[in-house]
Amino acid sequence: MEALDYHAEERRKAEFNLDEMKIVWAGSRRNYELSDRVARLVASDPVFRKDNRTMLTRKDLFKDTLRKAAHAWKRIIDLRLSEEEANMLRSYVDQPAFTDLHWGMFIPAIKGQGTSEQHEKWLPMAYKMQIIGCYAQTELGHGSNVQGLETTATFDPQTDEFDLHSPTLTSSKWWPGGLGKVSTHAVVYARLITGGQDHGVHGFIVQLRGLDDHLPLPGITVGDIGMKFGSGAYNSMDNGLLRFDHVRIPRNQMLMRVSQVTREGKFVQSDVPRQLVYGTMVYVRQTIVSDASCALARAVCIATRYSAVRRQFGSQNGGPEIQVIDYKTQQSRLFPLLASAYAFRFVGEWLKWLYTDVTQRLQANDFSTLPEAHACTAGLKSMTTSVTADAIEECRKLCGGHGYLSNSGLPELFAVYIPTCTYEGDNVVLLLQVARFLMKTVSQLGSGKKPVGTTAYMGRAEHLMQCRCEVEMAQDWLKPSTILEAFEARAVRMSIACAKSLGKFSNPEDGFAELSPDLVEVAIAHCQLIVVSKFLEKLQQDIPGKGVKRQLEILCNVYALHLLHKHLGDFVATGCITPNQGALANEQLRLLYAQVRPNAIALVDAFNYTDHYLGSILGCYDGNVYQKLYQEAWKDPLNDTVVPDGYLEYLRPILKQHIRTARL
Ligand SMILES: CCCCCCCCCC/C=C\CCCC(=O)SCCNC(=O)CCNC(=O)[C@H](O)C(C)(C)COP(=O)(O)OP(=O)(O)OC[C@H]1O[C@@H](n2cnc3c(N)ncnc32)[C@H](O)[C@@H]1OP(=O)(O)O
Ligand SMILES: Cc1cc2nc3c(=O)[nH]c(=O)nc-3n(C[C@H](O)[C@H](O)[C@H](O)COP(=O)(O)OP(=O)(O)OC[C@H]3O[C@@H](n4cnc5c(N)ncnc54)[C@H](O)[C@@H]3O)c2cc1C
């Protein structure tokens, strides 16, 4: 018997080859096949069930997380999965866990900041999970300001050891994931002190718990920091606190790629830039951009499928009501998010390339592209996570009342997702880093130093400052060069205007502080330009499959023109376009939405998400929403009994009191 599919008609409307689009989304046929296989493996395994987790108490949820992590590790070993497959498996399990930090930060920190001897000693144990580690940087008093950390690591030449100490309450480590209850080790960031001199913040490998009894080692106080936002969600993670009372570690546990301390206690700064101490954050920010496209795609998939099932108003002669996806307002809210998911996917792919390139250069002692890698990872992390967090909430609203039900999957997705706007660098703080980079680039424009990479457009500032947009009709906005020039002109004009305003301050730092809200806008304009330009570059590639490239062109235009519409004030105020050209862009946008409409369901099918991973009744593949909602309601523990617990103690006396009052 053929399976029921409420979306069958929608799927028939698609004007492109879905299988080929799935490959574009996955990045390659190989990636597609790998991720499809691993996603199904997870979805079919009862241990990875997650539909009940919002009902669990914190302790039960945490134990469930340990069970899943142990089971995942067993599957990884038994099936001899590669590192890439293992990462995929953990991400499809879809439950924040200490393993994210062990594999995602502890190991990369040792790899990036450790010497080859340190790699040889620590990495084999970490790869086998004989030790489990976390990344302990943030403190109660300081997170964004890393240079303000207070934990000290004082070298004692007598014993050839460091003495780790938390001198104040605010120096307590606070937030590291996996620290609270699991990690046996941590990379701890502390101020290095030798001979009474402070050399700033460095990383140290520190054992926290006994490998036999899991008890904290002498001098170490460690625990969980408490419940976080939402039910289920990030509460599966043991974000922890940590204090040191003069804990001793051997000298060779300082990560010594960037700087060294000799046996005599001499501090040696190598020719590697000190910013490499921040290298793990650059790596993770890069992964967060790709993850943003996944989270956004997930929310959009749920909202799109549900919008095609849901009908309201407009029944004629007893016929069906209108599918809410056919309302222009629904399309104007939903389709830009769909386009953004694809845009973030492609910029994430490019950023991965950039990161790999900078890593290879660093290995060859070429540090020239480090500032750009920092600016791109910081800016794109900030921009994509802010958009995605807002988009998940918008998708909830697009699903009306049912979006607020836990089993829509959206509340939990929102709760898990929103801290990405804060962790790995607060989004505003990171945009200010981008702004600094841009202001520096502008200040060097007259010096003969040619801007390269993502700021190469600034080298054409003279033209971009005075060019005029040539759009006369709505369809003129479909020309890639017209779109690109409008975004470049807007970014460069905003940057130069800010640089000029900064120049009016006698103290540049005062100016930077005063103008910081404008500088944040400049950074956003630059990041949006990067995303638009990388989407356009993607379209230059050979993309096989009937109609696939055409759909991507439509999505790229939707992405760019919706930004132009949203930030019309910037484009018009900087004289990049006229108000009339802005109106033509909006007209073209409406036409594009009509072209997306018949393909919408297939475009979200291309994400290839299993129902398990989506975790949403509203987004399930077959669209059988109402029956599933009805069945699911009966599974709620409140429906275990017809009369609720508490009736006799609390309800009945009130109800009876009414009867008594009535009798009086
Ligand atoms: C496939 C596997 C998947 C694995 C995925 C793993 C994912 C795991 C997810 C787990 C979930 C959550 C994890 C969360 C973990 C954390 O949150 S860890 C803590 C993160 N903390 C932060 O991000 C702190 C943010 N603050 C900073 O980064 C810095 O302090 C800040 C950059 C804001 C300022 O630093 P300062 O040292 O004060 O720098 P400045 O004076 O402003 O700049 C000096 C110069 O240094 C340059 N710079 C700064 N940072 C970097 C960098 N990272 N890289 C390169 N260069 C950098 C800056 O541009 C200045 O340059 P200039 O002198 O102007 O040329
Ligand atoms: C779920 C979660 C997991 C985490 N995991 C880890 C982990 O594994 N390891 C770890 O070390 N840390 C971790 N952290 C900590 C995280 O990295 C920090 O919280 C983050 O870097 C932000 O720093 P903060 O908390 O000090 O924010 P603050 O800097 O105190 O920010 C507060 C406000 O001040 C503003 N602000 C701060 N500085 C400036 C400025 N210069 N200019 C303008 N505005 C400013 C910010 O924009 C924000 O609005 C985690 C945090 C969370 C929420």
Side-chain angles (χ1 to χ4, degrees), residues 87 104-105 135 137 143-144 146-147 234 274-275 278 281-282 285 374 423-425 429 433 440:
N87 285 335
M105 295 202 79
Y135 185 87
Q137 182 176 293
S144 298
V146 179
Q147 291 195 48
Y234 218 82
R274 77 161 179 87
Q275 284 87 354
Y278 299 156
M281 293 187 279
V282 176
R285 285 171 194 154
H374 167 50
Y423 64 56
E424 223 45 75
V429 170
Q433 288 286 308
K440 202 168 172 179

PDB file of all heavy atoms in Angstrom, residues 87 104-105 135 137 143-144 146-147 234 274-275 278 281-282 285 374 423-425 429 433 440, ligand 1:
ATOM      1  N   ASN A  87      31.176  12.793  13.685  1.00  0.00           N
ATOM      2  CA  ASN A  87      30.649  14.151  13.913  1.00  0.00           C
ATOM      3  C   ASN A  87      29.209  14.258  13.439  1.00  0.00           C
ATOM      4  O   ASN A  87      28.367  14.876  14.094  1.00  0.00           O
ATOM      5  CB  ASN A  87      31.498  15.200  13.179  1.00  0.00           C
ATOM      6  CG  ASN A  87      32.812  15.446  13.877  1.00  0.00           C
ATOM      7  OD1 ASN A  87      32.926  15.225  15.086  1.00  0.00           O
ATOM      8  ND2 ASN A  87      33.813  15.878  13.146  1.00  0.00           N
ATOM      9  N   GLY A 104      34.738  19.364  19.931  1.00  0.00           N
ATOM     10  CA  GLY A 104      34.645  20.649  19.223  1.00  0.00           C
ATOM     11  C   GLY A 104      35.580  21.717  19.744  1.00  0.00           C
ATOM     12  O   GLY A 104      35.892  22.667  19.018  1.00  0.00           O
ATOM     13  N   MET A 105      36.037  21.612  21.028  1.00  0.00           N
ATOM     14  CA  MET A 105      36.907  22.679  21.561  1.00  0.00           C
ATOM     15  C   MET A 105      38.153  22.167  22.277  1.00  0.00           C
ATOM     16  O   MET A 105      39.235  22.715  22.085  1.00  0.00           O
ATOM     17  CB  MET A 105      36.096  23.601  22.483  1.00  0.00           C
ATOM     18  CG  MET A 105      35.010  24.356  21.734  1.00  0.00           C
ATOM     19  SD  MET A 105      34.439  25.875  22.533  1.00  0.00           S
ATOM     20  CE  MET A 105      35.703  27.057  22.117  1.00  0.00           C
ATOM     21  N   TYR A 135      36.467  23.303  27.579  1.00  0.00           N
ATOM     22  CA  TYR A 135      37.171  24.540  27.247  1.00  0.00           C
ATOM     23  C   TYR A 135      36.804  25.578  28.298  1.00  0.00           C
ATOM     24  O   TYR A 135      35.711  26.148  28.271  1.00  0.00           O
ATOM     25  CB  TYR A 135      36.723  24.989  25.859  1.00  0.00           C
ATOM     26  CG  TYR A 135      37.447  26.194  25.309  1.00  0.00           C
ATOM     27  CD1 TYR A 135      38.643  26.050  24.607  1.00  0.00           C
ATOM     28  CD2 TYR A 135      36.909  27.466  25.449  1.00  0.00           C
ATOM     29  CE1 TYR A 135      39.294  27.159  24.080  1.00  0.00           C
ATOM     30  CE2 TYR A 135      37.560  28.576  24.922  1.00  0.00           C
ATOM     31  CZ  TYR A 135      38.745  28.407  24.233  1.00  0.00           C
ATOM     32  OH  TYR A 135      39.382  29.498  23.700  1.00  0.00           O
ATOM     33  N   GLN A 137      37.314  28.884  29.661  1.00  0.00           N
ATOM     34  CA  GLN A 137      37.841  30.238  29.463  1.00  0.00           C
ATOM     35  C   GLN A 137      37.036  31.253  30.290  1.00  0.00           C
ATOM     36  O   GLN A 137      37.579  31.934  31.151  1.00  0.00           O
ATOM     37  CB  GLN A 137      37.771  30.579  27.968  1.00  0.00           C
ATOM     38  CG  GLN A 137      38.327  31.945  27.616  1.00  0.00           C
ATOM     39  CD  GLN A 137      38.310  32.164  26.114  1.00  0.00           C
ATOM     40  OE1 GLN A 137      39.032  31.500  25.378  1.00  0.00           O
ATOM     41  NE2 GLN A 137      37.493  33.076  25.655  1.00  0.00           N
ATOM     42  N   GLY A 143      33.662  37.471  30.335  1.00  0.00           N
ATOM     43  CA  GLY A 143      33.514  36.532  29.228  1.00  0.00           C
ATOM     44  C   GLY A 143      34.040  37.161  27.954  1.00  0.00           C
ATOM     45  O   GLY A 143      35.044  36.735  27.389  1.00  0.00           O
ATOM     46  N   SER A 144      33.396  38.259  27.542  1.00  0.00           N
ATOM     47  CA  SER A 144      33.824  38.932  26.303  1.00  0.00           C
ATOM     48  C   SER A 144      35.259  39.432  26.407  1.00  0.00           C
ATOM     49  O   SER A 144      36.053  39.256  25.495  1.00  0.00           O
ATOM     50  CB  SER A 144      32.915  40.134  26.022  1.00  0.00           C
ATOM     51  OG  SER A 144      31.604  39.709  25.820  1.00  0.00           O
ATOM     52  N   VAL A 146      38.442  38.839  27.201  1.00  0.00           N
ATOM     53  CA  VAL A 146      39.318  37.707  27.554  1.00  0.00           C
ATOM     54  C   VAL A 146      40.571  38.213  28.276  1.00  0.00           C
ATOM     55  O   VAL A 146      41.080  37.563  29.185  1.00  0.00           O
ATOM     56  CB  VAL A 146      39.681  36.912  26.278  1.00  0.00           C
ATOM     57  CG1 VAL A 146      40.596  35.748  26.618  1.00  0.00           C
ATOM     58  CG2 VAL A 146      38.422  36.386  25.596  1.00  0.00           C
ATOM     59  N   GLN A 147      41.037  39.390  27.861  1.00  0.00           N
ATOM     60  CA  GLN A 147      42.243  39.911  28.535  1.00  0.00           C
ATOM     61  C   GLN A 147      41.975  40.281  29.988  1.00  0.00           C
ATOM     62  O   GLN A 147      42.908  40.521  30.756  1.00  0.00           O
ATOM     63  CB  GLN A 147      42.759  41.128  27.776  1.00  0.00           C
ATOM     64  CG  GLN A 147      43.328  40.758  26.414  1.00  0.00           C
ATOM     65  CD  GLN A 147      44.149  41.888  25.819  1.00  0.00           C
ATOM     66  OE1 GLN A 147      45.005  42.468  26.486  1.00  0.00           O
ATOM     67  NE2 GLN A 147      43.888  42.208  24.568  1.00  0.00           N
ATOM     68  N   TYR A 234      18.891  23.206  26.265  1.00  0.00           N
ATOM     69  CA  TYR A 234      20.309  23.172  26.605  1.00  0.00           C
ATOM     70  C   TYR A 234      20.561  22.600  28.004  1.00  0.00           C
ATOM     71  O   TYR A 234      21.709  22.507  28.450  1.00  0.00           O
ATOM     72  CB  TYR A 234      20.902  24.583  26.461  1.00  0.00           C
ATOM     73  CG  TYR A 234      22.307  24.556  25.898  1.00  0.00           C
ATOM     74  CD1 TYR A 234      22.525  24.452  24.532  1.00  0.00           C
ATOM     75  CD2 TYR A 234      23.412  24.572  26.731  1.00  0.00           C
ATOM     76  CE1 TYR A 234      23.804  24.376  24.011  1.00  0.00           C
ATOM     77  CE2 TYR A 234      24.697  24.504  26.229  1.00  0.00           C
ATOM     78  CZ  TYR A 234      24.885  24.405  24.869  1.00  0.00           C
ATOM     79  OH  TYR A 234      26.159  24.325  24.362  1.00  0.00           O
ATOM     80  N   ARG A 274      50.260  36.453  18.979  1.00  0.00           N
ATOM     81  CA  ARG A 274      49.630  36.042  20.240  1.00  0.00           C
ATOM     82  C   ARG A 274      48.150  35.713  20.052  1.00  0.00           C
ATOM     83  O   ARG A 274      47.553  34.950  20.804  1.00  0.00           O
ATOM     84  CB  ARG A 274      49.840  37.095  21.326  1.00  0.00           C
ATOM     85  CG  ARG A 274      48.957  38.307  21.198  1.00  0.00           C
ATOM     86  CD  ARG A 274      48.819  39.116  22.476  1.00  0.00           C
ATOM     87  NE  ARG A 274      47.976  40.273  22.231  1.00  0.00           N
ATOM     88  CZ  ARG A 274      46.654  40.260  22.332  1.00  0.00           C
ATOM     89  NH1 ARG A 274      46.027  39.166  22.709  1.00  0.00           N
ATOM     90  NH2 ARG A 274      45.944  41.335  22.060  1.00  0.00           N
ATOM     91  N   GLN A 275      47.544  36.271  18.978  1.00  0.00           N
ATOM     92  CA  GLN A 275      46.114  36.023  18.740  1.00  0.00           C
ATOM     93  C   GLN A 275      45.806  34.556  18.470  1.00  0.00           C
ATOM     94  O   GLN A 275      44.656  34.145  18.513  1.00  0.00           O
ATOM     95  CB  GLN A 275      45.609  36.843  17.546  1.00  0.00           C
ATOM     96  CG  GLN A 275      45.389  38.301  17.841  1.00  0.00           C
ATOM     97  CD  GLN A 275      46.650  39.112  17.658  1.00  0.00           C
ATOM     98  OE1 GLN A 275      47.713  38.556  17.406  1.00  0.00           O
ATOM     99  NE2 GLN A 275      46.543  40.413  17.809  1.00  0.00           N
ATOM    100  N   TYR A 278      43.614  32.645  20.593  1.00  0.00           N
ATOM    101  CA  TYR A 278      42.165  32.713  20.354  1.00  0.00           C
ATOM    102  C   TYR A 278      41.735  31.793  19.204  1.00  0.00           C
ATOM    103  O   TYR A 278      40.594  31.862  18.743  1.00  0.00           O
ATOM    104  CB  TYR A 278      41.749  34.138  19.975  1.00  0.00           C
ATOM    105  CG  TYR A 278      41.997  35.221  20.990  1.00  0.00           C
ATOM    106  CD1 TYR A 278      42.120  36.545  20.587  1.00  0.00           C
ATOM    107  CD2 TYR A 278      42.092  34.950  22.346  1.00  0.00           C
ATOM    108  CE1 TYR A 278      42.326  37.570  21.504  1.00  0.00           C
ATOM    109  CE2 TYR A 278      42.306  35.971  23.268  1.00  0.00           C
ATOM    110  CZ  TYR A 278      42.434  37.267  22.841  1.00  0.00           C
ATOM    111  OH  TYR A 278      42.635  38.268  23.751  1.00  0.00           O
ATOM    112  N   MET A 281      38.510  29.622  19.080  1.00  0.00           N
ATOM    113  CA  MET A 281      37.256  30.367  18.905  1.00  0.00           C
ATOM    114  C   MET A 281      37.015  30.629  17.421  1.00  0.00           C
ATOM    115  O   MET A 281      35.883  30.562  16.950  1.00  0.00           O
ATOM    116  CB  MET A 281      37.304  31.672  19.707  1.00  0.00           C
ATOM    117  CG  MET A 281      37.319  31.430  21.211  1.00  0.00           C
ATOM    118  SD  MET A 281      37.168  32.949  22.138  1.00  0.00           S
ATOM    119  CE  MET A 281      38.831  33.567  22.110  1.00  0.00           C
ATOM    120  N   VAL A 282      38.086  30.902  16.690  1.00  0.00           N
ATOM    121  CA  VAL A 282      37.928  31.135  15.245  1.00  0.00           C
ATOM    122  C   VAL A 282      37.392  29.865  14.586  1.00  0.00           C
ATOM    123  O   VAL A 282      36.469  29.904  13.771  1.00  0.00           O
ATOM    124  CB  VAL A 282      39.275  31.563  14.611  1.00  0.00           C
ATOM    125  CG1 VAL A 282      39.153  31.705  13.101  1.00  0.00           C
ATOM    126  CG2 VAL A 282      39.742  32.870  15.228  1.00  0.00           C
ATOM    127  N   ARG A 285      33.700  29.380  15.588  1.00  0.00           N
ATOM    128  CA  ARG A 285      32.818  30.377  14.933  1.00  0.00           C
ATOM    129  C   ARG A 285      32.541  29.950  13.499  1.00  0.00           C
ATOM    130  O   ARG A 285      31.427  30.096  12.997  1.00  0.00           O
ATOM    131  CB  ARG A 285      33.465  31.770  14.975  1.00  0.00           C
ATOM    132  CG  ARG A 285      33.386  32.371  16.359  1.00  0.00           C
ATOM    133  CD  ARG A 285      34.206  33.648  16.499  1.00  0.00           C
ATOM    134  NE  ARG A 285      34.350  33.974  17.920  1.00  0.00           N
ATOM    135  CZ  ARG A 285      35.343  34.680  18.441  1.00  0.00           C
ATOM    136  NH1 ARG A 285      36.303  35.159  17.659  1.00  0.00           N
ATOM    137  NH2 ARG A 285      35.386  34.921  19.739  1.00  0.00           N
ATOM    138  N   HIS A 374      39.720  36.187  11.012  1.00  0.00           N
ATOM    139  CA  HIS A 374      39.067  36.591  12.267  1.00  0.00           C
ATOM    140  C   HIS A 374      37.832  37.441  11.971  1.00  0.00           C
ATOM    141  O   HIS A 374      36.746  37.185  12.510  1.00  0.00           O
ATOM    142  CB  HIS A 374      40.077  37.363  13.131  1.00  0.00           C
ATOM    143  CG  HIS A 374      39.468  38.093  14.281  1.00  0.00           C
ATOM    144  ND1 HIS A 374      38.588  37.488  15.167  1.00  0.00           N
ATOM    145  CD2 HIS A 374      39.591  39.394  14.691  1.00  0.00           C
ATOM    146  CE1 HIS A 374      38.199  38.386  16.076  1.00  0.00           C
ATOM    147  NE2 HIS A 374      38.779  39.543  15.801  1.00  0.00           N
ATOM    148  N   TYR A 423      27.246  32.762  23.022  1.00  0.00           N
ATOM    149  CA  TYR A 423      28.495  32.002  23.217  1.00  0.00           C
ATOM    150  C   TYR A 423      29.388  32.112  21.979  1.00  0.00           C
ATOM    151  O   TYR A 423      28.958  32.501  20.915  1.00  0.00           O
ATOM    152  CB  TYR A 423      28.256  30.569  23.672  1.00  0.00           C
ATOM    153  CG  TYR A 423      27.535  29.585  22.787  1.00  0.00           C
ATOM    154  CD1 TYR A 423      27.946  29.291  21.506  1.00  0.00           C
ATOM    155  CD2 TYR A 423      26.460  28.853  23.303  1.00  0.00           C
ATOM    156  CE1 TYR A 423      27.312  28.340  20.738  1.00  0.00           C
ATOM    157  CE2 TYR A 423      25.803  27.895  22.548  1.00  0.00           C
ATOM    158  CZ  TYR A 423      26.245  27.643  21.253  1.00  0.00           C
ATOM    159  OH  TYR A 423      25.615  26.691  20.502  1.00  0.00           O
ATOM    160  N   GLU A 424      30.623  31.795  22.222  1.00  0.00           N
ATOM    161  CA  GLU A 424      31.657  31.936  21.195  1.00  0.00           C
ATOM    162  C   GLU A 424      31.769  33.395  20.736  1.00  0.00           C
ATOM    163  O   GLU A 424      32.113  33.679  19.586  1.00  0.00           O
ATOM    164  CB  GLU A 424      31.341  31.016  20.020  1.00  0.00           C
ATOM    165  CG  GLU A 424      32.539  30.279  19.481  1.00  0.00           C
ATOM    166  CD  GLU A 424      33.426  29.679  20.547  1.00  0.00           C
ATOM    167  OE1 GLU A 424      33.035  28.662  21.125  1.00  0.00           O
ATOM    168  OE2 GLU A 424      34.511  30.228  20.804  1.00  0.00           O
ATOM    169  N   GLY A 425      31.441  34.304  21.662  1.00  0.00           N
ATOM    170  CA  GLY A 425      31.537  35.730  21.380  1.00  0.00           C
ATOM    171  C   GLY A 425      30.167  36.354  21.222  1.00  0.00           C
ATOM    172  O   GLY A 425      29.422  35.987  20.320  1.00  0.00           O
ATOM    173  N   VAL A 429      29.687  42.352  20.314  1.00  0.00           N
ATOM    174  CA  VAL A 429      31.138  42.454  20.522  1.00  0.00           C
ATOM    175  C   VAL A 429      31.876  41.989  19.257  1.00  0.00           C
ATOM    176  O   VAL A 429      32.852  42.612  18.819  1.00  0.00           O
ATOM    177  CB  VAL A 429      31.550  41.620  21.764  1.00  0.00           C
ATOM    178  CG1 VAL A 429      33.052  41.494  21.884  1.00  0.00           C
ATOM    179  CG2 VAL A 429      30.958  42.241  23.035  1.00  0.00           C
ATOM    180  N   GLN A 433      34.400  43.963  16.358  1.00  0.00           N
ATOM    181  CA  GLN A 433      35.700  43.507  15.844  1.00  0.00           C
ATOM    182  C   GLN A 433      35.759  43.679  14.332  1.00  0.00           C
ATOM    183  O   GLN A 433      36.766  44.102  13.776  1.00  0.00           O
ATOM    184  CB  GLN A 433      35.929  42.022  16.203  1.00  0.00           C
ATOM    185  CG  GLN A 433      36.211  41.770  17.660  1.00  0.00           C
ATOM    186  CD  GLN A 433      37.611  42.194  18.050  1.00  0.00           C
ATOM    187  OE1 GLN A 433      38.600  41.819  17.430  1.00  0.00           O
ATOM    188  NE2 GLN A 433      37.710  43.014  19.081  1.00  0.00           N
ATOM    189  N   LYS A 440      40.179  50.034   9.846  1.00  0.00           N
ATOM    190  CA  LYS A 440      41.616  49.944   9.575  1.00  0.00           C
ATOM    191  C   LYS A 440      41.840  49.867   8.056  1.00  0.00           C
ATOM    192  O   LYS A 440      42.721  50.540   7.520  1.00  0.00           O
ATOM    193  CB  LYS A 440      42.157  48.674  10.248  1.00  0.00           C
ATOM    194  CG  LYS A 440      43.628  48.690  10.508  1.00  0.00           C
ATOM    195  CD  LYS A 440      43.959  47.538  11.436  1.00  0.00           C
ATOM    196  CE  LYS A 440      45.436  47.353  11.591  1.00  0.00           C
ATOM    197  NZ  LYS A 440      45.752  46.267  12.504  1.00  0.00           N
TER     198      LYS A 440
HETATM  199  C1  LIG B   1      32.471  19.265  12.911  1.00  0.00           C
HETATM  200  C2  LIG B   1      32.691  19.355  14.389  1.00  0.00           C
HETATM  201  C3  LIG B   1      31.771  20.346  14.927  1.00  0.00           C
HETATM  202  C4  LIG B   1      32.278  20.825  16.205  1.00  0.00           C
HETATM  203  C5  LIG B   1      31.502  21.993  16.591  1.00  0.00           C
HETATM  204  C6  LIG B   1      31.797  22.358  17.962  1.00  0.00           C
HETATM  205  C7  LIG B   1      30.792  23.271  18.434  1.00  0.00           C
HETATM  206  C8  LIG B   1      30.720  23.224  19.876  1.00  0.00           C
HETATM  207  C9  LIG B   1      29.615  24.076  20.268  1.00  0.00           C
HETATM  208  C10 LIG B   1      29.464  23.997  21.712  1.00  0.00           C
HETATM  209  C11 LIG B   1      28.603  25.011  22.231  1.00  0.00           C
HETATM  210  C12 LIG B   1      29.017  26.083  22.860  1.00  0.00           C
HETATM  211  C13 LIG B   1      30.444  26.443  22.974  1.00  0.00           C
HETATM  212  C14 LIG B   1      30.611  27.802  23.500  1.00  0.00           C
HETATM  213  C15 LIG B   1      32.029  27.953  23.879  1.00  0.00           C
HETATM  214  C16 LIG B   1      32.412  29.347  24.278  1.00  0.00           C
HETATM  215  O1  LIG B   1      31.628  30.225  24.360  1.00  0.00           O
HETATM  216  S1  LIG B   1      34.051  29.542  24.611  1.00  0.00           S
HETATM  217  C17 LIG B   1      34.256  31.191  25.081  1.00  0.00           C
HETATM  218  C18 LIG B   1      34.133  32.113  23.921  1.00  0.00           C
HETATM  219  N1  LIG B   1      34.505  33.425  24.295  1.00  0.00           N
HETATM  220  C19 LIG B   1      34.556  34.405  23.455  1.00  0.00           C
HETATM  221  O2  LIG B   1      34.231  34.255  22.288  1.00  0.00           O
HETATM  222  C20 LIG B   1      35.080  35.695  23.965  1.00  0.00           C
HETATM  223  C21 LIG B   1      34.915  36.825  23.001  1.00  0.00           C
HETATM  224  N2  LIG B   1      36.026  37.750  23.126  1.00  0.00           N
HETATM  225  C22 LIG B   1      37.078  37.739  22.279  1.00  0.00           C
HETATM  226  O3  LIG B   1      37.146  36.940  21.356  1.00  0.00           O
HETATM  227  C23 LIG B   1      38.159  38.742  22.480  1.00  0.00           C
HETATM  228  O4  LIG B   1      38.439  39.008  23.754  1.00  0.00           O
HETATM  229  C24 LIG B   1      37.905  40.033  21.677  1.00  0.00           C
HETATM  230  C25 LIG B   1      38.177  39.680  20.219  1.00  0.00           C
HETATM  231  C26 LIG B   1      36.500  40.560  21.811  1.00  0.00           C
HETATM  232  C27 LIG B   1      38.838  41.166  22.124  1.00  0.00           C
HETATM  233  O5  LIG B   1      40.094  40.652  22.343  1.00  0.00           O
HETATM  234  P1  LIG B   1      41.361  41.552  22.705  1.00  0.00           P
HETATM  235  O6  LIG B   1      42.537  40.706  22.929  1.00  0.00           O
HETATM  236  O7  LIG B   1      40.977  42.505  23.744  1.00  0.00           O
HETATM  237  O8  LIG B   1      41.542  42.141  21.330  1.00  0.00           O
HETATM  238  P2  LIG B   1      41.582  43.571  20.761  1.00  0.00           P
HETATM  239  O9  LIG B   1      42.463  44.437  21.564  1.00  0.00           O
HETATM  240  O10 LIG B   1      40.189  44.027  20.471  1.00  0.00           O
HETATM  241  O11 LIG B   1      42.310  43.132  19.463  1.00  0.00           O
HETATM  242  C28 LIG B   1      43.707  42.924  19.390  1.00  0.00           C
HETATM  243  C29 LIG B   1      44.017  42.426  17.991  1.00  0.00           C
HETATM  244  O12 LIG B   1      43.727  41.029  17.951  1.00  0.00           O
HETATM  245  C30 LIG B   1      42.842  40.764  16.870  1.00  0.00           C
HETATM  246  N3  LIG B   1      42.053  39.593  17.228  1.00  0.00           N
HETATM  247  C31 LIG B   1      41.151  39.501  18.208  1.00  0.00           C
HETATM  248  N4  LIG B   1      40.649  38.251  18.236  1.00  0.00           N
HETATM  249  C32 LIG B   1      41.261  37.558  17.279  1.00  0.00           C
HETATM  250  C33 LIG B   1      41.165  36.206  16.822  1.00  0.00           C
HETATM  251  N5  LIG B   1      40.305  35.341  17.366  1.00  0.00           N
HETATM  252  N6  LIG B   1      41.957  35.832  15.806  1.00  0.00           N
HETATM  253  C34 LIG B   1      42.807  36.691  15.218  1.00  0.00           C
HETATM  254  N7  LIG B   1      42.943  37.987  15.611  1.00  0.00           N
HETATM  255  C35 LIG B   1      42.170  38.405  16.616  1.00  0.00           C
HETATM  256  C36 LIG B   1      42.057  42.028  16.711  1.00  0.00           C
HETATM  257  O13 LIG B   1      41.490  42.108  15.443  1.00  0.00           O
HETATM  258  C37 LIG B   1      43.126  43.069  16.942  1.00  0.00           C
HETATM  259  O14 LIG B   1      43.875  43.185  15.769  1.00  0.00           O
HETATM  260  P3  LIG B   1      44.606  44.555  15.421  1.00  0.00           P
HETATM  261  O15 LIG B   1      45.560  44.823  16.517  1.00  0.00           O
HETATM  262  O16 LIG B   1      43.510  45.595  15.348  1.00  0.00           O
HETATM  263  O17 LIG B   1      45.213  44.292  14.098  1.00  0.00           O
END
